[in-house]
Amino acid sequence: MTSTVPALGTRTAEGSALQAVLLDMDGTLVDTEGFWWDVEVEIFAALGHTLDDTWRHVVVGGPMTRSAGFLIEATGADIALAELTVLLNQGFEDRIDRALPLMPGAARLLAELTEYEIPTALVSASHRRIIDRVLTSLGPQHFALSVAGDEVPRTKPHPDPYLFAAAGLGVDPARCAVVEDTATGVAAAEAAGCHVVVVPSVAPIAPAVRRTVVGSLEEVDLAFLRGLIAA
């Protein structure tokens, strides 16, 4: 989904070094990281394999090819990567069709960014078919563009998705604030040169230079994001 990119010379960008906000999807805006794991557990159970719960930290936040490939190798399951990818996407879609809970503070943050005309992009390792389904619930009007994991040569943890989003918005990655929930996503955003706000969803993540860790999106608003870039 791509829509008209708002002009950067709006009242919202004036007086601020912040040029755009780039947001991850699963586990950041929507409470769906657990959905992926539940689907993986069910599929492998049907194949006769039990997933070790510690593997959840390995597969969270990564591209599907990496996560699915790891699980096939770890279990020795007799299934092709392409077939497993189809099953994972279908299982996830079935779940979000039943319920799609937003993370606390997500709706309020998106509404504020839209009100003040801050250029905003959705940047996810999920495939386009998944992103478009989720956008229906999140509200496509909140995003100038979205980047899917199957639309870039290299997805997270590589910087490509965030560099692609910044280029699409016509902004400097160094003046973008990224909101992420996993180490994989954080690595991608930092490699792109962005400031990162982390709301850990599954595994803890430590603060670092140009990386701020918060407990919830309830702590994040436009003034907070502008302050990061100004600092």
Side-chain angles (χ1 to χ4, degrees):
M1 162 266 180
T2 304
S3 58
T4 303
V5 178
L8 296 182
T10 63
R11 61 190 176 93
T12 60
E14 291 171 0
S16 171
L18 177 68
Q19 288 187 336
V21 177
L22 315 178
L23 298 151
D24 174 55
M25 189 177 76
D26 293 303
T28 299
L29 292 177
V30 290
D31 191 9
T32 51
E33 287 292 10
F35 285 13
W36 285 112
W37 180 248
D38 291 344
V39 171
E40 288 159 349
V41 167
E42 288 182 9
I43 291 172
F44 278 89
L47 295 170
H49 298 276
T50 300
L51 299 188
D52 188 320
D53 197 58
T54 61
W55 295 343
R56 182 172 183 175
H57 299 289
V58 179
V59 301
V60 67
M64 186 177 297
T65 51
R66 188 198 74 184
S67 301
F70 168 82
L71 293 175
I72 290 173
E73 182 176 353
T75 60
D78 184 18
I79 187 170
L81 180 60
E83 181 184 358
L84 179 57
T85 297
V86 171
L87 292 175
L88 288 171
N89 274 324
Q90 186 58 59
F92 185 79
E93 287 181 32
D94 290 343
R95 275 167 172 72
I96 64 176
D97 282 344
R98 295 196 296 267
L100 185 61
L102 300 188
M103 298 298 288
R108 187 263 316 150
L109 177 60
L110 290 175
E112 182 179 20
L113 295 175
T114 299
E115 178 184 359
Y116 288 92
E117 300 177 2
I118 302 298
T120 303
L122 186 66
V123 184
S124 176
S126 291
H127 290 186
R128 169 55 57 187
R129 59 184 282 188
I130 297 295
I131 289 182
D132 285 346
R133 297 283 282 272
V134 174
L135 274 171
T136 301
S137 296
L138 280 177
Q141 72 277 10
H142 296 305
F143 303 96
L145 62 84
S146 58
V147 179
D150 57 342
E151 295 175 339
V152 288
R154 303 180 304 172
T155 188
K156 305 174 186 180
H158 299 286
D160 304 36
Y162 284 111
L163 293 175
F164 187 86
L169 294 174
V171 298
D172 180 358
R175 293 177 63 183
C176 292
V178 168
V179 185
E180 271 282 358
D181 72 304
T182 68
T184 300
V186 169
E190 290 182 339
C194 304
H195 293 253
V196 188
V197 178
V198 190
V199 190
S201 62
V202 175
I205 298 174
V209 177
R210 295 169 65 90
R211 181 198 306 168
T212 303
V213 180
V214 299
S216 164
L217 285 181
E218 297 283 11
E219 302 175 40
V220 181
D221 59 13
L222 180 52
F224 178 90
L225 296 173
R226 281 176 164 165
L228 294 179
I229 308 301

